[in-house]
Amino acid sequence: MSKRKLIVQKYGGTSVQSPERIKAVAQRIKSYVTDGFSVVVVVSAMGKTTDQLIDLADSISKSPSKREMDMLLSTGEQVTIALLAMALHEIEVDAISYTGSQIKVLTDGNFSDAKISKISTEKIERSIDDGKVVIVAGFQGIDEDENITTLGRGGSDTSAVALAAVLKSEECEIYTDVDGVYTADPRIVSEAKKLTTISYDEMLELARLGAGVLHSRSVEFAKKYGVRLHVKSSFSYEKGTILMSTEEMMEKFIVSGITAKNDEAKVTIRDIPDRPGISAKLFSDLGQSKIYVNMIVQSTGRDKLASISFTVKKNDVKKTLTICESLKNEFGASAIESKEDITILSAVGVGMLSSYGVAGKMFKILSDHQINIEMISTSEIGISCVIDSIYAELAAKILHKEFIGS
Ligand code: ADP
Ligand code: ASP
Ligand code: MG
């Protein structure tokens, strides 16, 4: 393969939202080529195209086939790769575009949330050797029956990091509309500060808990394959945020980020027998229906009766309630309830591994503002509370102020 240094760059939806933006991206790529880099570029669909395609499907069918949905959504990225290749040709940069299926991004068959199992590098390496910039459609792959699959919303980040891993690229740059990873979503908490570095573990936890700046699986890949990820803005030339291992981190904050996640709902089953086998039956039925359960809390009341609350993706609430209803008689449950207007509010930091009292402080801050905590869960480096979503913004701001500062 070519001896030039290889870099993988990913440009998100806002960065390629218009012809002007695509031309600006082409100019940036050209500057890397001029500096002696071989460049592999992964792009998202333009602007809000993916949302528009979802609305389009909704206007035809309320329950579209998952296979056809992935077929539809993958078209967004295909538009961008072709336009970016044309923009590069216009400025005399040799470039070629490929869809996920053309470069054989193999995934499992889990439509709308497929996982990459293998990527063939042959075609890409040949094009690099021919002196071309290689442009790959993010977010998409093919399963073993050659059905088109997509990797879940925001999945182009994962396409880019997976490519960087298989191509053994020194660095993967994620270009977006913010100039790095902040201590909270800067659109919600205006006092949020940019982090110059963050550990893979913290970023993974933040992404899992709702920091939409990176797809969580991209961080998993980056950590596993030691890809140096650099999150930066496509609207400026400033340095962004670099992801590195916890050992490399100079400063270890107790809380390095606050997140507020709004895509889950709470389901509660009341007054079920407090005996072995009940949870096993409920959660294995949910698992068999491919419903992802996040937080689970069980509380025992009088008369050996318990209530179980858990959170699932809002899209899965209907399916979840149907399963719970079918178990209601078997369990003798008194009621099944669901609540969609919840927010999972979290504080994350590697410093929690060696500190006491962080959970207590978080609960006190919320109670001082009369915010009720409906569920709690903890990990080694994170604490999450379910609260009513009307308090989401206020809660994120006050936690940020108390833990990180203004
Ligand atoms: P792209 O289309 O480039 O992938 P995304 O919309 O997926 O962009 O991600 C960028 C957005 O992530 C930002 O505009 C910002 O509002 C949001 N975001 C959420 N949490 C954070 C955070 N902790 N740091 C930076 N951005 C964040
Ligand atoms: N276009 C897809 C989405 O909007 C994938 C991505 O942008 O990463 O989710
Ligand atoms: Mg994104």
Side-chain angles (χ1 to χ4, degrees):
M1 207 175 110
S2 158
K3 289 280 165 292
R4 289 157 71 98
K5 269 200 299 186
L6 177 70
I7 188 153
V8 175
Q9 301 183 331
K10 178 255 169 178
Y11 294 90
T14 325
S15 304
V16 292
Q17 69 186 353
S18 62
E20 289 66 39
R21 290 299 314 153
I22 291 178
K23 287 180 194 169
V25 165
Q27 287 294 352
R28 187 184 295 261
I29 294 168
K30 183 174 184 171
S31 71
Y32 277 81
V33 174
T34 311
D35 285 349
F37 283 92
S38 293
V39 190
V40 173
V41 186
V42 173
V43 284
S44 293
M46 292 170 72
K48 300 264 171 254
T49 302
T50 310
D51 293 327
Q52 286 157 4
L53 290 169
I54 292 172
D55 290 346
L56 192 58
D58 191 55
S59 66
I60 299 271
S61 165
K62 294 293 164 217
S63 52
S65 135
K66 285 193 147 192
R67 179 189 184 278
E68 301 313 328
M69 201 63 194
D70 278 9
M71 180 68 96
L72 176 70
L73 296 194
S74 69
T75 61
E77 274 66 15
Q78 193 170 338
V79 170
T80 323
I81 54 170
L83 293 176
L84 181 58
M86 293 173 199
L88 283 163
H89 297 162
E90 282 295 315
I91 54 173
E92 261 108 53
V93 177
D94 202 0
I96 185 163
S97 66
Y98 291 121
T99 61
S101 58
Q102 284 176 313
I103 55 156
K104 301 197 173 54
V105 177
L106 278 185
T107 70
D108 60 20
N110 194 13
F111 295 117
S112 82
D113 195 24
K115 295 197 172 53
I116 296 176
S117 51
K118 204 175 152 206
I119 301 183
S120 147
T121 55
E122 218 183 304
K123 212 173 201 144
I124 300 178
E125 284 173 345
R126 230 181 305 129
S127 297
I128 292 173
D129 286 344
D130 288 345
K132 293 183 198 310
V133 168
V134 176
I135 307 165
V136 177
F139 178 55
Q140 55 180 260
I142 41 164
D143 70 8
E144 56 183 18
D145 295 324
E146 298 196 349
N147 296 301
I148 292 182
T149 55
T150 65
L151 311 179
R153 296 305 305 272
S156 297
D157 298 332
T158 300
S159 309
V161 180
L163 272 172
V166 293
L167 293 168
K168 302 189 173 50
S169 154
E170 291 188 3
E171 191 166 312
C172 180
E173 295 181 325
I174 305 284
Y175 285 97
T176 182
D177 55 5
V178 270
D179 58 359
V181 177
Y182 279 68
T183 48
D185 186 341
R187 283 181 215 249
I188 296 174
V189 181
S190 53
E191 294 80 19
K193 300 180 175 68
K194 187 168 106 182
L195 297 159
T196 47
T197 56
I198 187 166
S199 67
Y200 294 119
D201 292 327
E202 284 169 305
M203 191 62 238
L204 187 56
E205 195 76 345
L206 287 170
R208 236 178 28 81
L209 294 169
V213 64
L214 283 176
H215 194 232
S216 64
R217 224 171 300 135
S218 72
V219 188
E220 269 173 49
F221 269 117
K223 180 179 177 193
K224 187 165 169 193
Y225 296 101
V227 175
R228 209 167 173 82
L229 262 192
H230 190 170
V231 180
K232 55 208 285 201
S233 168
S234 68
F235 294 80
S236 75
Y237 279 83
E238 303 220 339
K239 247 184 127 202
T241 303
I242 296 183
L243 271 71
M244 53 181 61
S245 66
T246 308
E247 296 73 46
E248 285 175 275
M249 293 286 292
M250 302 287 281
E251 273 184 293
K252 294 190 174 64
F253 297 109
I254 293 175
V255 174
S256 53
I258 304 291
T259 58
K261 188 169 158 62
N262 292 314
D263 62 348
E264 294 190 19
K266 182 173 83 165
V267 175
T268 302
I269 308 189
R270 296 208 181 278
D271 302 324
I272 49 181
D274 187 17
R275 62 170 160 75
I278 297 280
S279 300
K281 172 75 180 144
L282 170 64
F283 293 109
S284 58
D285 280 12
L286 292 171
Q288 265 163 20
S289 295
K290 292 193 176 156
I291 293 172
Y292 169 78
V293 177
N294 182 10
M295 295 169 80
I296 304 175
V297 170
Q298 175 169 344
S299 54
T300 320
R302 279 172 299 164
D303 307 327
K304 290 214 165 201
L305 290 178
S307 291
I308 296 183
S309 291
F310 54 94
T311 64
V312 293
K313 292 256 176 284
K314 279 185 182 158
N315 294 344
D316 286 332
V317 169
K318 238 171 100 185
K319 225 159 70 175
T320 304
L321 290 177
T322 310
I323 292 171
C324 292
E325 284 296 338
S326 73
L327 293 171
K328 190 176 172 195
N329 284 343
E330 185 182 331
F331 288 176
S334 67
I336 292 162
E337 293 155 15
S338 66
K339 181 174 174 188
E340 299 219 3
D341 45 0
I342 60 156
T343 292
I344 303 177
L345 182 76
S346 310
V348 172
V350 276
M352 279 187 208
L353 281 168
S354 52
S355 319
Y356 301 96
V358 186
K361 181 171 170 184
M362 178 165 171
F363 305 154
K364 172 87 170 53
I365 296 167
L366 294 176
S367 85
D368 284 348
H369 288 78
Q370 309 297 318
I371 299 172
N372 188 38
I373 301 170
E374 300 181 26
M375 295 169 91
I376 297 168
S377 83
T378 59
S379 71
E380 278 188 322
I381 60 166
I383 304 165
S384 302
C385 296
V386 170
I387 59 167
D388 193 298
S389 52
I390 53 168
Y391 300 114
E393 207 173 313
L394 169 72
K397 284 181 174 152
I398 55 174
L399 283 193
H400 191 275
K401 182 159 177 260
E402 298 295 334
F403 278 120
I404 294 165
S406 47

